[in-house]
DNA sequence: AACCTTCTCAACCGCCCCAGG
DNA sequence: GCCTGGGGCGGTTGAGAAGGT
C-alpha cells in the first residue's frame, strides 16, 4: 500500500499565486498561525496543496522576507558558508536574515556559480553523508505519467553522476540537531555542529575547531544522543599523540575517535567528548575526512577564522538562542 | 518588428526525517 | 519495531523576461 499523497490533486490550482490567494493565506495564518498545512487550504478557502501554501508562506508572504539583490556581503557569506556546508541551503539561509533557502539556492545556481567559474574557481563538490545507509528508500506506488518517466530518467542520471562523484567527493558532516536549551547549557568553549545554525562555536576567538584537519572519522553508535563538543587546540592538553582511539560507555554510548594517521596531531586535540543530551541525534557516522583542504593548514585556519567572525557577527546578533 | 536563445526564479516534486499511535 | 502523517529539504522544471540577431 502506497502512501497517500499530501493532498488530493484533483481540482487544485497550480502555478503562480494570485493576489487574492496571497491575501487569503496571509489572513488565515495571521489569525490561526502556521502549521497544519495539510488542512490549511480547506480552512482558508484555497484550492492549493498544503505544501504549496507552506512554500508560498515561507518564501514570500512571511514577514521579514528580504527581497531584491544580494549585497556583496551576503554573497561572500553564501560562498563561504557553501564551502563549509555544501548545498545545505536551509542552513545557509539560517545565517542570512530575511533570505530564504530557495532564494539562496537560486542565487547560487544562477549567479554565484557563474561568477566563480569566470574567476576560475571550481565550486567545491559536496556530498552529504547519509544518516542511515542501511535504510532502503521507500518505494512509491507507480502510476506512470510523462512526468514520472522524466523523473526516472533523471534519477538514473543522478545515480550515474553520483558514482562518478565518489572519487572526488568532499564529505560534509551531517548536521546535528540540538535543542536550544542544550546550546545554552553547553560550555562557552564548546564547538558544536548544529543543524539549525550550521557550524557554530563559542565567541572565544581562540577556540577554533582545528581538529577538523586531523579528525579522520567519528563513529557513533546508531541512536546515540550526543553532543559533539570541545575540539580545542591546546598543546598542554593532548588526548593522544598521533592516533587516538577512545571507547567509552557513557549511558551506553559507544564512541570511537580515530585520527588521521598521516597527520601530526600532536598538540592539537585537547578533548573529544560526547555528552548525552535530550535531543534526538540519530546517525551512524560523521565523516570529516576531506571536510577541509588538509594540504593547506594556514588556509584552513583562515577560513575558520573568517567563518567564526561571520558567525559572531551575524549569528549571535540575530539568533538570541545562541547567546 | 519578429524570431530565437538564454536567463531568472517561483513553484513543484520526490525523498527523507521525525513524532506519535 | 512498524506504520502513518506532517513537515522540511534539495533538485529540478518551465513560464515569462531579457537579450541577441
Amino acid at each position: 500500500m502506497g502512501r497517500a499523497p499530501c493532498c488530493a490533486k484533483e481540482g487544485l490550482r497550480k502555478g503562480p499565486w494570485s493576489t487574492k490567494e496571497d491575501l487569503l493565506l496571509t489572513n488565515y495564518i495571521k489569525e490561526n498561525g502556521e502549521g497544519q498545512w495539510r488542512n490549511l487550504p480547506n480552512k482558508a478557502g484555497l484550492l492549493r496543496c498544503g505544501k504549496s501554501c507552506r512554500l508560498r508562506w515561507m518564501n514570500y508572504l512571511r514577514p521579514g522576507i528580504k527581497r531584491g539583490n544580494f549585497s556583496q556581503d551576503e554573497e561572500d557569506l553564501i560562498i563561504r558558508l557553501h564551502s563549509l556546508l555544501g548545498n545545505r541551503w536551509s542552513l545557509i539561509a539560517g545565517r542570512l536574515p530575511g533570505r530564504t533557502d530557495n532564494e539562496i539556492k537560486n542565487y547560487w545556481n544562477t549567479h554565484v556559480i557563474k561568477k566563480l567559474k569566470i574567476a576560475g574557481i571550481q565550486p567545491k563538490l559536496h556530498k552529504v553523508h547519509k544518516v542511515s545507509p542501511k535504510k532502503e528508500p521507500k518505494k512509491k506506488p507507480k502510476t506512470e505519467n510523462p512526468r514520472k518517466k522524466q523523473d526516472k530518467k533523471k534519477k538514473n542520471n543522478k545515480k550515474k553522476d553520483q558514482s562518478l562523484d565518489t572519487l572526488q567527493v568532499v564529505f560534509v558532516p551531517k548536521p546535528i540537531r540540538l535543542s536550544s536549551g542544550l546550546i545554552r547549557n553547553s560550555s562557552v568553549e564548546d564547538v558544536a555542529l548544529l543543524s539549525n545554525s550550521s557550524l557554530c562555536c563559542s565567541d572565544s576567538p581562540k577556540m577554533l575547531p582545528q581538529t577538523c584537519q586531523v579528525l579522520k572519522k567519528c563513529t557513533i553508535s546508531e541512536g546515540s544522543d550526543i553532543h559533539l563538543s570541545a575540539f580545542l587546540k591546546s598543546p598542554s592538553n593532548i588526548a593522544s599523540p598521533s592516533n587516538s582511539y577512545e571507547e567509552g560507555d557513557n549511558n551506553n554510548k559507544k564512541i570511537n575517535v580515530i585520527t588521521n594517521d598521516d597527520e601530526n596531531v600532536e598538540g592539537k586535540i585537547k578533548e573529544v567528548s560526547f555528552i548525552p543530551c535530550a535531543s534526538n541525534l540519530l546517525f551512524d557516522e560523521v565523516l570529516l575526512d576531506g571536510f577541509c583542504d588538509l594540504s593547506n593548514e594556514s588556509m584552513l585556519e583562515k577560513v575558520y577564522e573568517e567563518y567564526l567572525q561571520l558567525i559572531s557577527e551575524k549569528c549571535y546578533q540575530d539568533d538570541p538562542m545562541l547567546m
Side-chain angles (χ1 to χ4, degrees):
Chain A
M1 201 178 83
R3 184 179 159 175
C6 76
C7 47
K9 302 277 181 195
E10 298 84 29
L12 290 186
R13 267 178 57 79
K14 286 172 81 172
W17 281 62
S18 68
T19 323
K20 194 184 163 190
E21 286 177 311
D22 282 348
L23 205 63
L24 279 171
L25 180 58
T26 309
N27 287 340
Y28 180 85
I29 292 176
K30 270 182 188 168
E31 281 178 25
N32 302 284
E34 293 179 34
Q36 294 296 309
W37 296 107
R38 193 186 173 88
N39 304 321
L40 186 147
N42 274 341
K43 290 180 181 172
L46 285 160
L47 286 171
R48 291 277 182 175
C49 164
K51 274 188 163 188
S52 183
C53 294
R54 181 189 156 271
L55 198 75
R56 184 67 183 170
W57 172 255
M58 292 299 192
N59 286 343
Y60 301 96
L61 303 176
R62 193 161 45 110
I65 298 283
K66 205 192 281 181
R67 317 291 313 162
N69 295 340
F70 282 73
S71 67
Q72 190 57 48
D73 283 350
E74 284 176 313
E75 189 180 307
D76 289 347
L77 187 58
I78 290 169
I79 292 168
R80 284 169 192 163
L81 289 174
H82 186 272
S83 72
L84 287 162
L85 301 167
N87 295 356
R88 301 234 282 283
W89 305 115
S90 58
L91 293 185
I92 295 172
R95 301 269 63 81
L96 281 119
R99 299 294 188 182
T100 68
D101 52 355
N102 207 34
E103 204 179 2
I104 292 168
K105 182 170 59 184
N106 282 333
Y107 187 72
W108 177 267
N109 287 330
T110 55
H111 295 92
V112 181
I113 282 185
K114 214 182 289 173
K115 277 190 186 179
L116 291 178
K117 274 182 182 167
I118 288 169
I121 300 165
Q122 179 72 33
K124 235 181 183 177
L125 279 166
H126 291 83
K127 183 184 180 183
V128 176
H129 183 67
K130 287 284 175 203
V131 174
S132 309
K134 60 175 179 262
K135 226 179 189 175
E136 287 292 322
K138 281 177 190 168
K139 294 273 187 285
K140 298 237 166 178
K142 297 268 166 16
T143 46
E144 283 292 291
N145 62 31
R147 170 82 192 208
K148 288 258 166 72
K149 272 186 189 169
Q150 248 186 350
D151 285 343
K152 240 191 214 170
K153 218 176 181 182
K154 270 191 280 172
K155 288 277 142 60
N156 289 340
N157 288 339
K158 208 189 264 181
K159 260 186 191 167
K160 223 185 272 176
D161 291 343
Q162 277 180 353
S163 65
L164 288 172
D165 281 346
T166 46
L167 291 176
Q168 48 181 329
V169 122
V170 174
F171 288 99
V172 177
K174 184 75 182 171
I176 300 167
R177 291 170 194 268
L178 295 178
S179 71
S180 53
L182 283 156
I183 296 156
R184 278 195 217 95
N185 291 339
S186 64
S187 156
V188 289
E189 293 180 350
D190 286 352
V191 175
L193 291 159
L194 311 170
S195 70
N196 293 331
S197 52
S198 70
L199 182 68
C200 204
C201 69
S202 75
D203 50 0
S204 172
K206 64 178 186 293
M207 302 303 179
L208 304 177
Q210 303 284 11
T211 48
C212 278
Q213 62 191 299
V214 294
L215 190 65
K216 179 88 172 173
K217 188 174 176 180
C218 294
T219 304
I220 296 138
S221 61
E222 189 181 11
S224 295
D225 290 346
I226 61 114
H227 179 197
L228 183 59
S229 71
F231 292 142
L232 307 176
K233 185 175 187 176
S234 171
S236 58
N237 292 288
I238 305 160
S240 66
S242 60
N243 191 351
S244 166
Y245 177 84
E246 294 179 6
E247 190 168 7
D249 189 6
N250 190 354
N251 291 349
N252 299 320
K253 309 294 184 289
K254 185 184 174 189
I255 300 157
N256 301 319
V257 180
I258 304 155
T259 56
N260 187 345
D261 286 328
D262 302 332
E263 296 291 319
N264 174 19
V265 298
E266 193 160 357
K268 295 203 176 174
I269 296 178
K270 176 193 173 188
E271 183 188 3
V272 179
S273 64
F274 300 92
I275 304 160
C277 63
S279 63
N280 291 322
L281 311 172
L282 299 171
F283 52 88
D284 298 316
E285 201 170 66
V286 180
L287 288 174
L288 298 170
D289 183 21
F291 178 56
C292 314
D293 179 8
L294 300 178
S295 61
N296 191 339
E297 191 174 335
S298 63
M299 184 188 147
L300 179 82
E301 292 196 14
K302 202 177 158 208
V303 170
Y304 273 121
E305 267 178 33
E306 284 181 353
Y307 187 78
L308 294 176
Q309 202 183 336
L310 289 166
I311 292 291
S312 62
E313 283 170 7
K314 308 268 177 189
C315 150
Y316 287 105
Q317 281 168 17
D318 306 321
D319 210 342
M321 84 176 191
L322 293 173
M323 293 296 280

